[in-house]
Amino acid sequence: MKQVYILAIESSCDETSVSIIRNGKDEIATVVLTQMDIHATFGGVVPEVASRHHIENITMVIEECLTKASMTMEEIDAIAVTYGPGLIGSLLIGVQAAKTLAYIYQKPLIPVHHIAGHIYANNLVKQMEFPLIALVVSGGHTDLIYMKEDYSFEHIGGTLDDAVGECYDKAARVMNLAYPGGPKVDKLAHTGTDTYHLPIPLDDDSYDFSFSGLKSAVINLSHNEKQRGNEINVANLACSFQNRVVDILTKKTMKALKEYQVSNLIVAGGVAANKGLRERLEALCQEENINLSIPPIQYCTDNAAMIGAAGYFAYQLGRRADLTLNAKASERLN
Ligand code: KG4
Ligand code: ZN
């Protein structure tokens, strides 16, 4: 079998990342340059600042990745790039860099949807088995996707408002935890008890989610307690908040597995790092005989290795873009 080397570029948010992946599964080299510290001072990602840093760094990150892999552009078979969804200014830098490489070195250009990347991060660890349900949870997404086979995506539900990671980060701010607050809330939750009454968002028969009500409930509770002169028990609030989030995510995911008669579950995106979510899903999947796959943390948060993995399958299916490829801030997974 011919070895296929994909050079992949990811710049949809605040990570400038380049990776070289062989046959959609072997990671040859990856470089991730995160801007997290820069944005932390603002309490969240500032789009204009993010795109400026991508411009400054993209060439250096490409060169560093090729050096790390001890490869030249001539040895690369195709260029894969995240074209959406994400921050438009950030995406444009990656897309422009990929188009330039494809033009100069006369390589095929493969457009990759960011969520397809998050899902295919799993293939870097273990070959994905179909049919499967994918739960994608990150700072920008909360989606349930049914995959009958490779690169076939049926979006069965998603958030109607805030993404779950965004909700974590906003709740964390109320708890005086620095950005990104998700991991800090997760850690605190394990030291507290579930004492605060918070609503379960969109607890219905659909596969959709809503997190803005839960976020508002945390803000209102903190505000009211402050006005009454009461101190909030932050660990208990984190625990109560996390339990409600995990309740609804696991309830709808387990329902999807049952209704679609699927025994493979993969979890992807930054919030897949959440210990509470992992523990609950591990227990439920064991009970129901479901094969659960969650990638290690470095593949959960944004990286180009996942784009190279997804890009390989798109390449095999003949998906190509030409030099008119444009970045898309919002785009359906297809
Ligand atoms: O996938 P990602 O790196 O970027 C996006 O595509 O959004 O996800 C980042 C998000 C942030 O909102 C961060 O707070 C959240 O993932 N996150 C967590 C945890 N680790 C990261 N949320 C809850 N618990 C965690 N352990
Ligand atoms: Zn992401």
Side-chain angles (χ1 to χ4, degrees), residues 13 35 46-56 88-90 93:
C13 192
Q35 306 172 6
V46 183
E48 182 64 13
V49 173
S51 46
R52 280 167 194 265
H53 279 91
H54 285 306
I55 294 183
E56 281 170 17
I88 192 70
S90 293
I93 313 304

Side-chain angles (χ1 to χ4, degrees), residues 115-127:
I115 298 303
H118 272 304
I119 293 172
Y120 273 90
N122 280 272
N123 210 64
L124 295 164
V125 186
K126 186 168 141 255
Q127 192 178 354

